């Protein structure tokens, strides 16, 4: 199979993992961020030391490619590309919204109800105010609606809710629950995009030969970065 270093920095959480032959053999997480610039290098050094000490050669580096935090994605992708250059490794890009679905599909969330057969999954990442980055997938992780930046109101997802139970999760979902009022709404709390969940998505891309051009790859920001003017001190 493959040995892959996984890097995830798309939200406030910073996480690194190593998978070998479908098993996660190393993981580190920090949930006190955003402090990716401080934590990521340490976690990567620990992961590389672990594999070097056990004589485990890497095949690739997988990185969460967005959408998500502009700064977080930039730090994670820069680190991944640096390791690929230094160790002559392939680069695998894992879409963040797909990654959010993995623990839900695997039933890893505490107190989570069993998914209904015709369920749709709507992972959401917080953008601003009532805006989210979201997509809709079926239980086979096939896209039903592609990733977009949604300004959420009561009717945003009604065409899907009228036909299916829809499960909303991710750090953008909580703020939308009072607005999205429908009997088919289900909310799953506590779902985060973490490196330890990247293995099945990264392995599938590795087996299918879906790797990126290290020199030219950039994260999927979805929206342009807008710099804010600093507040005057006087």
């Amino acid at each position: 199979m493959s040995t892959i270093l996984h890097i995830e920095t798309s939200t406030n959480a910073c996480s690194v993992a190593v998978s070998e032959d479908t098993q996660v053999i190393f993981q580190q997480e920090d949930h006190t961020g955003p402090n990716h610039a401080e934590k990521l290098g340490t976690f990567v050094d620990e992961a590389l030391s672990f594999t070097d000490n056990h004589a485990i050669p890497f095949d690739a580096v997988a990185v969460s490619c967005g959408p998500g935090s502009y700064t977080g994605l930039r730090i994670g992708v820069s680190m991944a590309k640096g390791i690929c250059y230094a160790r002559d490794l392939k680069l695998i890009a894992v879409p963040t919204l797909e990654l959010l679905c993995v623990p839900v599909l695997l039933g890893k969330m505490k107190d989570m109800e069993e998914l209904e057969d015709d369920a749709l999954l709507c992972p959401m990442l917080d953008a601003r105010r009532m805006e989210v980055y979201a997509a809709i997938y079926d239980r086979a992780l096939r896209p039903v609606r592609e990733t977009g930046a949604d300004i959420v109101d009561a009717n945003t997802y009604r065409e899907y809710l009228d036909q299916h139970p829809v499960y909303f999760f991710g750090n953008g979902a909580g703020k939308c629950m009072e607005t999205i009022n429908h009997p088919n709404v289900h909310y799953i709390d506590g779902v985060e995009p973490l490196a330890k969940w990247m293995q099945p998505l990264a392995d599938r891309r590795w087996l299918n030969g879906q790797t990126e051009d290290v020199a030219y790859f950039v994260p999927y920001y979805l929206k342009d970065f807008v710099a804010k003017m600093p507040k005057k001190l006087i």
Side-chain angles (χ1 to χ4, degrees), residues 61-94:
V61 179
V63 65
S64 181
C65 64
S69 159
Y70 181 94
T71 301
L73 291 171
R74 183 165 51 85
I75 291 172
V77 168
S78 296
M79 176 66 75
K81 293 172 74 169
I83 298 167
C84 288
Y85 276 124
R87 297 199 172 210
D88 192 24
L89 300 174
K90 298 293 187 180
L91 178 66
I92 300 170
V94 174

Side-chain angles (χ1 to χ4, degrees), residues 133-224:
Y133 304 133
I136 297 178
Y137 302 93
D138 65 16
R139 291 188 58 175
L141 210 52
R142 292 183 293 253
V144 175
R145 200 216 69 177
E146 297 293 340
T147 299
D150 298 336
I151 298 175
V152 178
D153 60 32
N155 295 311
T156 305
Y157 306 103
R158 182 167 295 277
E159 63 180 293
Y160 307 102
L161 287 163
D162 285 345
Q163 301 180 52
H164 301 270
V166 182
Y167 293 75
F168 296 88
F169 48 90
N171 68 6
K175 69 180 184 181
C176 301
M177 287 303 96
E178 290 186 5
T179 302
I180 306 172
N181 186 15
H182 193 283
N184 273 337
V185 166
H186 299 264
Y187 172 59
I188 305 173
D189 190 22
V191 181
E192 294 182 278
L194 298 174
K196 65 183 179 183
W197 305 127
M198 294 175 72
Q199 174 271 318
L201 302 180
D203 272 348
R204 183 175 66 185
R205 283 167 169 78
W206 174 255
L207 291 172
N208 291 336
Q210 293 176 260
T211 59
E212 307 297 329
D213 186 316
V214 177
Y216 295 102
F217 177 74
V218 294
Y220 179 43
Y221 295 120
L222 192 58
K223 294 195 303 183
D224 292 334

Side-chain angles (χ1 to χ4, degrees), residues 60-131:
V61 179
V63 65
S64 181
C65 64
S69 159
Y70 181 94
T71 301
L73 291 171
R74 183 165 51 85
I75 291 172
V77 168
S78 296
M79 176 66 75
K81 293 172 74 169
I83 298 167
C84 288
Y85 276 124
R87 297 199 172 210
D88 192 24
L89 300 174
K90 298 293 187 180
L91 178 66
I92 300 170
V94 174
T96 309
L97 294 176
E98 282 189 34
L99 175 58
L100 274 168
C101 295
V102 172
V104 173
L105 290 170
L106 295 178
K108 297 294 186 179
M109 303 311 301
K110 184 179 180 181
D111 300 325
M112 192 186 92
E113 60 187 278
E114 185 175 352
L115 295 178
E116 297 183 46
D117 291 340
D118 61 340
L120 297 179
L121 309 181
C122 185
M124 289 179 161
L125 289 170
D126 192 12
R128 59 181 182 179
R129 298 177 183 172
M130 287 308 292
E131 188 172 13

